[in-house]
Amino acid sequence: MSGKKRFQKPGSLQPNIDDILEWSKLPEDAFDPASSQEKADFIKDRKSVSYWADAWRRLRRNKVAMVALGIIIALVIFGFVGPSVVPYTYKQQVRGSEALHPWHYTLEDQEKINAYMEEHNNTENLTPDEAVEKAKAEAEAEGKELSRIEESKIRAKASVSQQKESEEHVTEAEAAKALGIKHKAFGYSTQELQKKADGEKVFPHVFGTDDQGRDIMVRVMVGTRISIIVGVCAAIIVLIIGALYGSISGYCGGVVDTVMQRIVEIIYSIPEMLIILLLSATLKPALEQFQNSGDGPLQNLVTILGPNLISMFIAFGLLYWVTMSRIIRGQILQLKQQEYVTAARALGAKGGRIIGKHLLPNCIGQIITTTFLQIPSAIFLESFLSFIGVGVSAPLTSLGSMCSEALSGLSTYPYRLFIPAGILSLMILALNLFGDGLRDALDPKLKK
């Protein structure tokens, strides 16, 4: 029976033993050395990569995050390198270049526009003061002197004349449109155009100038720099305080954790804006007294920052770290139950060493992401405070303070508001988008 092949009965569920035995038979060349082609075709193991290399690989695949990173780098160069390229400073008043638009007309075009305006307005369109000065000059040429009554009549006549002709008055833009003249990029005053015509080099006012003759582009650059510095410094303050507080609370647990979290809940209930305003009002006299006490580096720092900005940094140190501490606490509560923490305790490691060497490094991804997302929040807060007048102190500028100053001339010079507001919005959007991409790249759970 052993040499005969056994067949199953029809309908039987019993497996065919002979077929199963055939499966275990190896071919005669099963243990022969592999050929070079077989070795080349053998599936290789995936090359091992570090945590950071794998995170960078996933971050590069996120096109939105990489575009946002490029915008952030461009804004950093714009804010920190740009002011050294432009010959103007943020507080320099260029005489004769007040209230320039970010465009200009050539000297020849200006002559054509002025001739057209004089022809179609049929008047010199003098202001009351200019009309009085002209009448005085004419009277002196004739050896006469104007009385106060005559001056009043001339002023009233000039004022009425201006009111009547305001509706029919041809503006510079209308004259240029009628003549088919197009403006050129960048702002130049008439004196600067004359210098260019004489062969001198004049740096243009790319974004124009304000009413005091200060270059808007340089002020936007400095405002961008201030916003980035404030955002980074505030994020570092939040990181240090929040990481220490959250890690101690999560590691100790028990009564210590309960008490520390009740303190966090109390801080959550405090209105941050009110604290900043109170600190600014309270610290201002003391800081001014300290500022006038000498000429040391600390006094100069207080002079540059001002009491409002210092109050904001203090508020970040007092209030804004609570979210970071809760996130770190949650991570520590999960990680402290791991075997390597138990092994470290068994070897006699103290709590501070376990937190610094084992727990915090293992939640570094969450720490970096939360810290980076704190930067746009700090930038927005600083811009808002500067907008309402309790941010940076003059003459130092900020994007928020520039937006506030531009409101008074919004109908005439709208670009003074749109340029700093657009850069501020672009900065906050890019930081948030890159922060989201950084969170996805550093999260091991999203690893494919």
Side-chain angles (χ1 to χ4, degrees), residues 233-243 316-317 320-322 324 374:
C233 292
I236 292 174
I237 293 173
V238 169
L239 167 64
I240 294 174
I241 300 176
F316 270 104
Y320 282 85
W321 51 267
V322 289
M324 170 71 79
Q374 184 64 46

Side-chain angles (χ1 to χ4, degrees), residues 244-427:
L244 289 175
Y245 193 93
S247 60
I248 293 172
S249 177
Y251 180 78
C252 294
V255 178
V256 175
D257 182 43
T258 302
V259 173
M260 295 180 74
Q261 290 310 302
R262 297 297 80 76
I263 296 174
V264 168
E265 292 172 358
I266 293 173
I267 294 176
Y268 258 120
S269 64
I270 299 175
E272 297 93 347
M273 193 61 61
L274 178 61
I275 294 298
I276 294 176
L277 296 176
L278 290 176
L279 284 173
S280 178
T282 305
L283 296 176
K284 187 174 182 178
L287 290 174
E288 289 179 349
Q289 183 178 0
F290 176 74
Q291 176 183 344
N292 299 326
S293 63
D295 194 24
L298 292 179
Q299 285 85 351
N300 293 332
L301 180 64
V302 172
T303 303
I304 294 174
L305 296 179
N308 297 330
L309 210 55
I310 293 176
S311 302
M312 189 178 69
F313 283 129
I314 295 175
F316 270 104
L318 293 176
L319 306 176
Y320 282 85
W321 51 267
V322 289
T323 301
M324 170 71 79
S325 69
R326 282 194 165 184
I327 293 173
I328 300 301
R329 172 183 174 270
Q331 294 289 317
I332 297 297
L333 288 174
Q334 295 178 3
L335 294 174
K336 74 176 186 178
Q337 306 298 331
Q338 300 295 324
E339 289 80 3
Y340 60 85
V341 177
T342 306
R345 286 200 194 98
L347 292 173
K350 296 183 179 180
R353 180 176 179 81
I354 293 175
I355 292 174
K357 297 292 184 180
H358 300 287
L359 295 178
L360 287 179
N362 280 283
C363 54
I364 190 67
Q366 192 70 29
I367 293 175
I368 292 176
T369 303
T370 307
T371 304
F372 196 88
L373 290 174
Q374 184 64 46
I375 296 177
S377 300
I379 291 175
F380 180 81
L381 177 63
E382 181 274 326
S383 301
F384 173 73
L385 292 174
S386 297
F387 183 82
I388 62 177
V390 291
V392 297
S393 302
L396 193 63
T397 186
S398 169
L399 295 177
S401 60
M402 291 188 67
C403 292
S404 178
E405 294 170 359
L407 288 179
S408 58
L410 182 59
S411 59
T412 309
Y413 306 99
Y415 54 87
R416 294 185 186 177
L417 173 64
F418 295 154
I419 292 174
I423 291 179
L424 178 62
S425 302
L426 183 64
M427 185 191 308

Side-chain angles (χ1 to χ4, degrees), residues 79-136:
F80 287 86
V81 180
S84 62
V85 177
V86 182
Y88 312 112
T89 63
Y90 69 93
K91 58 183 178 180
Q92 178 182 354
Q93 298 179 356
V94 184
R95 298 302 180 185
S97 300
E98 292 84 2
L100 293 180
H101 294 284
W103 59 80
H104 72 280
Y105 297 103
T106 62
L107 293 175
E108 295 79 6
D109 292 340
Q110 287 182 12
E111 293 178 358
K112 295 178 182 178
I113 292 172
N114 292 335
Y116 184 90
M117 292 173 64
E118 290 179 4
E119 178 184 354
H120 288 75
N121 290 334
N122 294 322
T123 179
E124 297 179 10
N125 197 25
L126 299 177
T127 64
D129 291 335
E130 291 174 344
V132 170
E133 291 296 330
K134 182 179 179 182
K136 284 183 177 180

Side-chain angles (χ1 to χ4, degrees), residues 117-179:
M117 292 173 64
E118 290 179 4
E119 178 184 354
H120 288 75
N121 290 334
N122 294 322
T123 179
E124 297 179 10
N125 197 25
L126 299 177
T127 64
D129 291 335
E130 291 174 344
V132 170
E133 291 296 330
K134 182 179 179 182
K136 284 183 177 180
E138 293 175 353
E140 290 178 359
E142 297 177 0
K144 299 180 181 180
E145 185 177 352
L146 292 178
S147 64
R148 292 185 179 181
I149 297 176
E150 289 175 335
E151 288 184 10
S152 301
K153 290 181 179 180
I154 294 172
R155 287 181 183 275
K157 185 177 179 181
S159 178
V160 172
S161 177
Q162 279 194 329
Q163 292 176 2
K164 288 182 178 179
E165 295 170 358
S166 59
E167 298 180 358
E168 301 178 358
H169 183 71
V170 178
T171 63
E172 184 181 57
E174 292 172 346
K177 184 178 180 181
L179 294 172

